[in-house]
Amino acid sequence: MAYEEAKKKLRGSICPVVTPFTESGEIDEKAFIDLIEWQIESGSHGISVTGTSGEPSSLTIEERKRVMALAKETIGGRVFFAPGTGSTNHDETMELTKYAEELGADAAMVIVPYYNRPNQEALYQHFKTVADSVKIPIIIYNIPGRSAVNMEVSTMKRLVVDCPNIIGVKEANKDFEHVNRVLLNCGRDFLLFSGIELLCYPMLAIGGAGFISATANVEPVKVAELYNAWETGDVKKAQDLHFELMPLNDVLFKDTNPAPAKVALGMMGKITPKLRLPLGLPSTEIQEEVRKTLIELDILPKEAAVK
């Protein structure tokens, strides 16, 4: 896909699909396929896997490749596909990004390495080396809350100038001034995706391309409708959906993502609510908050309330 064509296509609500496990901890491939089918039927514009919501650090390299391949096969070109291919390890990131290209993914989402805390020059070298090794479009994933390092706008601008296949960024960054400066410095056609749920709507207002929101795992229809409403000029509807989704956004981050989302999907009968250690399920109190919110939003029937 030519990069200009990719910039026109890769827009909207991209769901970062969770990786479901069986009770024994194996990847539940049937549940995973069903989740992707449900996402497409519900109007999600794209699918991502093995990003933060997909628990990539709990998967082996071969498991990540299997999840990516299964997603690509299931999607079958119906919506665009942008798997997460980054890790703390440079060589693994190279291997997974090349694999995404071999699969025919529409883009690869590469995270700022977590735990390592590289300086800005090291970040530049890491991303440039990865981008230069492939022709697939690259979306930077900037998530300082997880990585403990923020990719500065100046570093992002260098990469955009030097790497034509770096076409966008998922900004899980609460600093709205920063994300404004991303578009100012990287170009108004640079694809800016929100990775912060409460900034999905505001980022559209400054020219964002959409969002990669964990909330879409639980309420894909309304998350996609928020983007559609904005695109068709129905600002009032987009604003209404923004505020309607806020209670769900809040409760899904009462504990580490994707634990509350997996609890919700378990209550909805979509998956077994299982995480791999070191992650675990939220407290009983948080689980009941999730249940209450799902009932209030008519995602679960009222009779699902615990008596």
Side-chain angles (χ1 to χ4, degrees):
M1 184 192 301
Y3 304 135
E4 290 307 312
E5 180 187 349
K7 286 183 177 181
K8 294 177 182 177
K9 180 180 179 182
L10 303 177
R11 293 175 174 271
S13 173
I14 306 174
C15 181
V17 178
V18 302
T19 304
F21 299 121
T22 64
E23 194 58 53
S24 61
E26 301 300 313
I27 295 172
D28 189 335
E29 295 193 358
K30 182 183 185 306
F32 182 67
I33 290 169
D34 290 345
L35 285 177
I36 291 176
E37 291 290 354
W38 178 54
Q39 286 293 328
I40 295 172
E41 292 166 5
S42 299
S44 290
H45 306 96
I47 298 293
S48 184
V49 298
T50 64
T52 303
S53 298
E55 297 175 69
S57 58
S58 296
L59 303 174
T60 66
I61 294 294
E62 290 309 311
E63 284 177 327
R64 289 185 68 169
K65 287 181 177 180
R66 175 58 182 160
V67 168
M68 289 162 60
L70 195 57
K72 179 66 169 61
E73 179 184 348
T74 304
I75 293 164
R78 289 175 289 170
V79 297
F80 58 83
F81 177 46
T85 60
S87 87
T88 58
N89 183 288
H90 178 74
D91 289 342
E92 286 181 3
T93 301
M94 295 273 283
E95 180 180 345
L96 288 166
T97 306
K98 289 177 180 178
Y99 185 71
E101 182 173 51
E102 291 168 12
L103 278 178
D106 296 299
M109 187 171 66
V110 181
I111 195 169
V112 170
Y114 39 94
Y115 182 77
N116 294 335
R117 301 184 67 183
N119 62 36
Q120 294 298 309
E121 179 60 27
L123 272 183
Y124 171 83
Q125 295 297 337
H126 171 67
F127 275 89
K128 187 175 190 306
T129 304
V130 172
D132 286 349
S133 72
V134 294
K135 294 182 179 178
I136 189 173
I138 300 292
I139 297 171
I140 296 167
Y141 182 9
N142 190 29
I143 180 168
R146 291 266 191 168
S147 64
V149 171
N150 180 49
M151 181 181 282
E152 295 175 2
V153 174
S154 58
T155 304
M156 204 174 296
K157 181 178 180 180
R158 284 180 70 196
L159 287 165
V160 171
V161 169
D162 295 344
C163 306
N165 58 331
I166 294 181
I167 64 168
V169 62
K170 175 184 176 181
E171 279 286 358
N173 192 324
K174 294 182 179 180
D175 184 348
F176 200 57
E177 181 177 339
H178 166 92
V179 297
N180 275 271
R181 296 191 185 283
V182 165
L183 287 183
L184 177 66
N185 286 273
C186 295
R188 299 277 290 279
D189 64 338
F190 191 60
L191 301 182
L192 174 65
F193 293 96
S194 177
I196 296 289
E197 277 61 28
L198 294 190
L199 294 184
C200 288
Y201 172 74
M203 281 199 198
L204 292 176
I206 63 169
F211 20 87
I212 306 173
S213 167
T215 303
N217 275 293
V218 178
E219 182 57 289
V221 172
K222 289 181 180 177
V223 175
E225 282 181 351
L226 195 162
Y227 178 82
N228 293 338
W230 175 264
E231 277 297 289
T232 57
D234 193 342
V235 175
K236 175 68 164 55
K237 182 178 180 180
Q239 288 176 339
D240 288 345
L241 285 165
H242 167 70
F243 287 106
E244 184 179 338
L245 287 165
M246 279 181 66
L248 183 59
N249 291 334
D250 288 344
V251 80
L252 291 181
F253 287 86
K254 290 271 186 174
D255 200 339
T256 304
N257 179 47
K262 281 195 159 183
V263 165
L265 288 167
M267 292 174 180
M268 295 162 67
K270 301 288 186 184
I271 67 169
T272 299
K274 175 76 175 179
L275 296 97
R276 284 181 177 174
L277 294 172
L279 292 179
L281 293 175
S283 67
T284 302
E285 291 76 15
I286 290 176
Q287 292 191 42
E288 288 313 309
E289 284 188 60
V290 171
R291 186 189 305 276
K292 179 182 176 184
T293 304
L294 296 181
I295 292 170
E296 288 174 348
L297 295 176
D298 293 325
I299 297 171
L300 285 181
K302 288 183 172 55
E303 51 267 29
V306 175
K307 303 300 183 184

